[in-house]
Amino acid sequence: MSLIALSDVTFSYDSQPVFQHVSLQVERGTICCLLGANGCGKSTMIDCVLGLNQPGAGSITVNGKAVGAYRAEELAKVIAYVPQVHQQSFPYTVRQIVLMGRTARLNSLSGPGEKENELVDKALERVGIFHLAERPYTQISGGETQLVMLARALVQETPVIVMDEPTAHLDYRNELIFLETAAMLVQTLGVSILMATHSPNQAFYLAEHGVEVQVAVMYAGTVAAVGTPEQTLTAEMIRAAYGVEVNCIAHEAGSNEIRHQIIPLRVLK
């Protein structure tokens, strides 16, 4: 059974179609990279999976149950969300922000106990930021902020994590740290990740770190292609989806290891 399954889903704003007839499955222990140009519907589709948008047609199930059949607190036990940007409004400590991920699992009459604090410690250690536990959340970098969001998602103990362009505002090093951490979590915990991204090379990078990666490319109002990075991220597909001429290259990186990379050449007029 797929952890996330979209079947013939259509969504419109005020009768203006955003996407139509989208079908996609995300299996356990995999990362699905959702790619496509601005305005193609990636974030809208993610909001449908999160239960924030109601499709006009088709069905969406998470862990075998229709998204619309979940109460909000029930869905929070199945899907965790890592946003593109998180506003650092109040000087909570990093530990307190991560602990908020337990909200759906706490009794309304009791506060967090020893178990919750142990889960927070473990999540902070897993993503490599335990040393920031008592740091005010307003005093950490953008890369550290996204790792905090990932730790918060982990303490929800959900089988699915949904991410909407989580590396969009990160520098090159922090982007790779985030991707490597996500890959490690999939490998060690068996979670599944649905991640919208604008970087085709991220799919190759994740796959080359031992994760099973699926790519879904959105354009022309639907998911036009689904498959492995090598199958899906071709020069023809990038040209169609983004209007960019590219070279798709494969090169040896030592010990018979093959690395793939997409090199942009020019924007098509």
Side-chain angles (χ1 to χ4, degrees):
M1 178 182 67
S2 301
L3 280 181
I4 300 176
L6 291 84
S7 179
D8 203 26
V9 176
T10 294
F11 183 84
S12 302
Y13 284 120
D14 297 327
S15 75
Q16 180 65 37
V18 178
F19 54 78
Q20 301 179 68
H21 309 300
V22 166
S23 294
L24 180 66
Q25 288 78 43
V26 180
E27 307 299 333
R28 186 177 299 276
T30 66
I31 296 180
C32 179
C33 292
L34 184 63
L35 288 105
N38 287 336
C40 70
K42 298 189 303 298
S43 294
T44 301
M45 192 176 91
I46 281 177
D47 284 346
C48 289
V49 173
L50 294 172
L52 302 176
N53 288 335
Q54 180 64 42
S59 65
I60 303 175
T61 61
V62 177
N63 210 23
K65 182 176 178 179
V67 168
Y70 283 98
R71 298 196 307 273
E73 63 271 21
E74 292 177 332
L75 193 59
K77 296 176 183 178
V78 182
I79 299 180
Y81 176 56
V82 177
Q84 181 181 141
V85 177
H86 188 262
Q87 295 298 322
Q88 299 165 305
S89 303
F90 300 101
Y92 295 110
T93 66
V94 165
R95 177 183 296 279
Q96 288 171 324
I97 292 292
V98 175
L99 188 57
M100 291 176 188
R102 294 297 296 171
T103 302
R105 296 186 180 276
L106 290 175
N107 187 303
S108 60
L109 300 178
S110 64
E114 183 178 347
K115 176 186 176 182
E116 282 68 39
N117 286 306
E118 288 177 354
L119 286 170
V120 169
D121 286 347
K122 187 176 293 186
L124 290 170
E125 288 172 354
R126 282 188 184 277
V127 303
I129 56 170
F130 184 78
H131 62 288
L132 297 176
E134 306 308 325
R135 183 83 62 86
Y137 186 55
T138 51
Q139 297 178 18
I140 62 176
S141 72
E144 291 166 340
T145 297
Q146 288 306 88
L147 290 173
V148 172
M149 291 294 96
L150 191 54
R152 189 178 72 171
L154 280 183
V155 301
Q156 284 185 237
E157 295 188 305
T158 61
V160 177
I161 301 176
V162 173
M163 306 179 180
D164 191 1
E165 298 180 35
T167 65
H169 301 285
L170 303 188
D171 64 34
Y172 190 46
R173 174 181 169 80
N174 280 313
E175 173 189 351
L176 299 183
I177 288 173
F178 186 93
L179 294 175
E180 290 175 9
T181 303
M184 177 270 293
L185 296 176
V186 171
Q187 291 170 317
T188 59
L189 301 180
V191 299
S192 298
I193 294 176
L194 173 62
M195 181 178 77
T197 176
H198 274 303
S199 174
N201 282 322
Q202 288 187 355
F204 287 120
Y205 192 78
L206 288 165
E208 287 155 3
H209 279 73
V211 181
E212 185 176 340
V213 176
Q214 178 184 39
V215 174
V217 181
M218 293 188 74
Y219 84 97
T222 191
V223 170
V226 179
T228 67
E230 293 86 353
Q231 292 169 336
T232 310
L233 296 174
T234 63
E236 293 76 18
M237 182 57 66
I238 298 297
R239 187 185 304 116
Y242 290 98
V244 176
E245 196 74 46
V246 301
N247 271 344
C248 300
I249 64 171
H251 59 90
E252 285 194 18
S255 303
N256 296 320
E257 184 180 5
I258 303 298
R259 293 292 179 99
H260 295 81
Q261 191 173 15
I262 293 175
I263 308 296
L265 300 178
R266 60 191 172 93
V267 175
L268 300 175
K269 303 299 183 183

